[in-house]
Amino acid sequence: MEKIFEYITENQNKYLAFWEKICGIEGTADDKASLDSVADAVEAFARSLGFFVERIPFENCGDFLIVDSSPNAEKGCAFLAHMDTVHRKGAFGFPPVKREGNKLIGPGVIDCKGGIAIALLAMKALSQNGFCRNNRLILTSDEEVSNRLGGERELALIKNAVLGYKAAFNCEVGKDGEAVVSRKGILRYRFEIKGVSAHSGIDYFSGASALREAAYKIIALESLSEEGKTTYNCSMINGGTLPNIVPERCEFSVDARVLNHAAMQEAETQIREIAEKSFVNGTSTRLIPISRRDPMLRNEATEKLFSHLDSVSQKYGMGALTAVESGGGSDSAYTQQAGVPSICAVGASGDYCHTAREFAFIDSLVTRAKLLSAATAELF
């Protein structure tokens, strides 16, 4: 491993500059033009490393990339990351990316563009130093919206792209000393409630408040939440026009997090039952699916891969790892469904993802690349 680690250490500044560059190209999942610019930058950098890049066009979201180190060789390991972030342009000011000591601050530095740099660094360190199998990086552009823009075509692409690989390491936002072995599934729905408007002083009782109906439904949904099990988070409430008018319309969203497929089916049933029930006479509800993400389950294959990763981490002085069960979702659910042992959250470490305080520890570029390259090399 000495030469592999030497490459990582000696070339870290090159990959750090690339990391900063792609974070400086801001773009959310619905901004195709910006995400295609991210894909342009990643594609150019990967090709400069001697890698082979396949670009998959998508109409409703940024193009996807598949990067192979040695496409004609036997299959090694697959890596995953995504190019979209949750941050609107300008959220971090100008310039959007800044260094403060060992911290890199900016949109997507840990979620998940740091993971792109780490995966490419690990892949190049391996191919440069005698690892002959093909390692593959799969990059999507709508992970933050649960793949709803790419749809079923995207999920099929992810599953097919990892078939036959020894393991799948998702370079999502990580924490030092941790790796994720399971993730909750996600259901998101929008409730559109219609009531009857009326003057709030003269005709209050002839109206039917859509906002009041929403309040009952929100309480009913959130009351179903259980710690350690399924949770229901209601948000994005919009209703009413003026203080003196009984609200005719109200909308809100619900985000349900589930442990397994049975819990997901139960959550779907409960959401639909609450949508169909009228707490306020004269109101009606339209339920609109927003997105769905399957859970990543903790199983025997995951445990075995985590044990290997932990062993490698300790062997090379990077410390013991803790297996974490996360409430957040990721594309690891679909690599697992393809029958490939999967571990998630082994990308850049830092904190405050999904906020304007998001930062990454710069030295995690090296430590995570060493961990992934060693884990990949010693799987064979």
Side-chain angles (χ1 to χ4, degrees):
M1 293 304 302
E2 184 177 347
K3 289 185 177 180
I4 291 173
F5 286 179
E6 279 181 5
Y7 177 89
I8 291 170
T9 301
E10 291 170 0
N11 290 273
Q12 59 183 298
N13 288 336
K14 174 181 178 179
Y15 290 82
L16 174 57
F18 164 70
W19 184 5
E20 288 181 292
K21 179 178 180 178
I22 57 175
C23 288
I25 307 172
E26 301 175 85
T28 51
D30 57 357
D31 186 352
K32 177 173 172 57
S34 294
L35 289 173
D36 282 346
S37 295
V38 177
D40 291 341
V42 175
E43 181 175 3
F45 185 73
R47 290 189 186 280
S48 76
L49 299 175
F51 292 160
F52 297 79
V53 183
E54 179 185 1
R55 187 161 179 155
I56 301 99
F58 274 81
E59 183 178 350
N60 297 320
C61 58
D63 295 346
F64 293 6
L65 298 177
I66 295 178
V67 181
D68 288 321
S69 60
S70 306
N72 297 320
E74 291 185 55
K75 294 177 179 178
C77 289
F79 302 91
L80 285 86
H82 59 89
M83 297 179 283
D84 57 318
T85 77
V86 300
H87 303 290
R88 294 291 173 187
K89 289 179 178 177
F92 285 78
F94 184 83
V97 185
K98 306 169 186 72
R99 292 193 204 182
E100 289 185 5
N102 187 38
K103 291 182 180 179
L104 189 66
I105 302 165
V109 290
I110 50 173
D111 192 13
C112 172
K113 291 176 179 176
I116 301 174
I118 288 167
L120 290 173
L121 178 52
M123 288 168 63
K124 183 60 178 178
L126 288 162
S127 63
Q128 184 84 1
N129 292 283
F131 187 84
C132 299
R133 293 178 185 260
N134 183 51
N135 293 315
R136 166 170 284 185
L137 173 61
I138 302 156
L139 295 176
T140 62
S141 64
D142 68 339
E143 192 276 344
E144 293 292 3
V145 294
S146 296
N147 318 92
R148 65 176 173 82
L149 300 176
E152 290 299 322
R153 178 187 169 214
E154 173 180 351
L155 303 187
L157 186 154
I158 294 171
K159 293 175 188 177
N160 289 332
V162 297
L163 287 175
Y165 282 83
K166 188 84 169 179
F169 295 110
N170 195 335
C171 298
E172 275 280 8
V173 48
K175 293 273 190 183
D176 286 338
E178 295 181 357
V180 168
V181 295
S182 74
R183 287 188 177 272
K184 282 188 171 183
I186 307 171
L187 284 173
R188 291 194 181 115
Y189 283 91
R190 187 78 177 158
F191 283 69
E192 292 187 353
I193 302 168
K194 184 177 181 180
V196 179
S197 64
H199 191 290
S200 64
I202 300 171
D203 294 319
Y204 174 80
F205 288 102
S206 66
S209 173
L211 200 153
R212 184 181 176 197
E213 176 70 14
Y216 279 116
K217 290 186 187 303
I218 290 168
I219 291 170
L221 285 163
E222 297 237 7
S223 296
L224 294 170
S225 296
E226 296 182 74
E227 189 169 354
K229 296 184 180 180
T230 302
T231 58
Y232 299 81
N233 182 63
C234 298
S235 185
M236 301 177 67
I237 305 168
N238 182 21
T241 52
L242 291 171
N244 60 350
I245 300 175
V246 175
E248 182 181 19
R249 290 192 169 273
C250 188
E251 300 179 358
F252 71 91
S253 296
V254 62
D255 175 298
R257 304 285 172 134
V258 300
L259 291 172
N260 51 47
H261 296 287
M264 179 168 278
Q265 187 173 11
E266 181 182 34
E268 283 185 300
T269 299
Q270 290 175 327
I271 290 169
R272 291 188 182 279
E273 287 177 350
I274 290 171
E276 291 168 3
K277 180 179 179 179
S278 290
F279 296 85
V280 176
N281 290 334
T283 63
S284 60
T285 300
R286 181 183 177 207
L287 186 64
I288 302 172
I290 298 175
S291 62
R292 172 193 180 106
R293 181 185 292 286
D294 287 347
M296 172 193 177
L297 306 176
R298 188 169 187 168
N299 58 25
E300 186 177 343
T302 304
E303 295 282 7
K304 185 176 180 181
L305 182 59
F306 173 79
S307 178
H308 168 71
L309 192 68
D310 180 39
S311 175
V312 167
S313 184
Q314 294 187 57
K315 177 180 177 180
Y316 291 104
M318 290 177 271
L321 297 176
T322 299
V324 173
E325 296 181 335
S326 172
S330 85
D331 290 338
S332 294
Y334 306 112
T335 60
Q336 185 182 72
Q337 287 178 10
V340 179
S342 302
I343 291 289
C344 196
V346 288
S349 63
D351 211 343
Y352 302 124
C353 69
H354 288 205
T355 78
R357 295 181 292 162
E358 180 174 343
F359 77 86
F361 291 114
I362 292 172
D363 59 10
S364 67
L365 172 67
V366 168
T367 56
R368 287 297 197 178
K370 286 182 177 180
L371 175 62
L372 293 177
S373 60
T376 298
E378 298 196 1
L379 264 178
F380 297 88

